[in-house]
Amino acid sequence: MFINSRNMISRIISTAIVVVTSIIALMCALSGPDQIILHWNLSGDVDSYGPKYLILTLPIISFIIFLMMIAKEKTPSDRGSLRALMRTEQYNSKHAKVIRIITPLLLLAILYVTACSAGLFRMCTMIPFAIVILVAIICIYMSHKSGHTEDGSMVR
């Protein structure tokens, strides 16, 4: 399967983020304190601790998200109707663009939470919220944009 350069760049960035997340988690699990930060309140103050090995779930979650995004990018959506099958090519290209943008952002949020759980940074709760809001805005924008044809009329 041919992978264009934008998809390749997104995959390289996403892979790098998953690797960095894994390295931070492994370093914390092997040589970090016995307790890691599990939760922060809205002010960014720690309000829950847990065993250090729980940090290993974050790179696993990152890897699963990465694999799901690649699978979605490769697999055409099949709704079963002829109209849906005819539009598959158009929608797949738009979905691939959204996936290419969103994957590194979601993985970046998990990397930030991993680094904060390991105690490398102080949690600023606005950063993960800002990333999630940005992802939502991109999804809404691309969804709205994909509902129109090139001449601006609605796709049915």
Side-chain angles (χ1 to χ4, degrees), residues 16 19 27 32 34 38 43 46 59 62 85 92 99 107 112-113 121 124-126 142 145 150:
V19 168
M27 286 177 35
D34 289 338
L38 292 180
S43 303
V46 177
S62 294
L85 290 173
N92 280 344
I99 290 168
L107 295 175
Y112 181 72
V113 170
F121 301 113
C124 174
T125 55
M126 291 306 297
M142 296 302 286
K145 190 175 175 183
E150 290 179 11

Side-chain angles (χ1 to χ4, degrees), residues 53-142:
Y53 295 105
L54 284 178
I55 200 165
L56 296 174
T57 59
L58 294 169
I60 293 169
I61 292 168
S62 294
F63 187 66
I64 290 169
I65 289 172
F66 179 67
L67 292 179
M68 288 172 48
M69 296 296 183
I70 288 176
K72 178 63 179 161
E73 188 177 277
K74 288 182 178 180
T75 307
S77 63
D78 181 5
R79 305 267 193 261
S81 72
L82 181 58
R83 181 182 294 165
L85 290 173
M86 291 169 52
R87 292 190 313 222
T88 299
E89 185 74 27
Q90 174 188 4
Y91 283 111
N92 280 344
S93 68
K94 293 190 186 295
H95 288 174
K97 185 175 182 179
V98 170
I99 290 168
R100 188 173 56 240
I101 295 168
I102 290 175
T103 302
L105 290 174
L106 288 174
L107 295 175
L108 192 62
I110 294 172
L111 172 61
Y112 181 72
V113 170
T114 304
C116 291
S117 290
L120 298 177
F121 301 113
R122 178 159 163 60
M123 172 59 80
C124 174
T125 55
M126 291 306 297
I127 292 175
F129 285 134
I131 292 172
V132 169
I133 289 169
L134 181 62
V135 166
I137 290 170
I138 291 170
C139 286
I140 291 167
Y141 173 75
M142 296 302 286

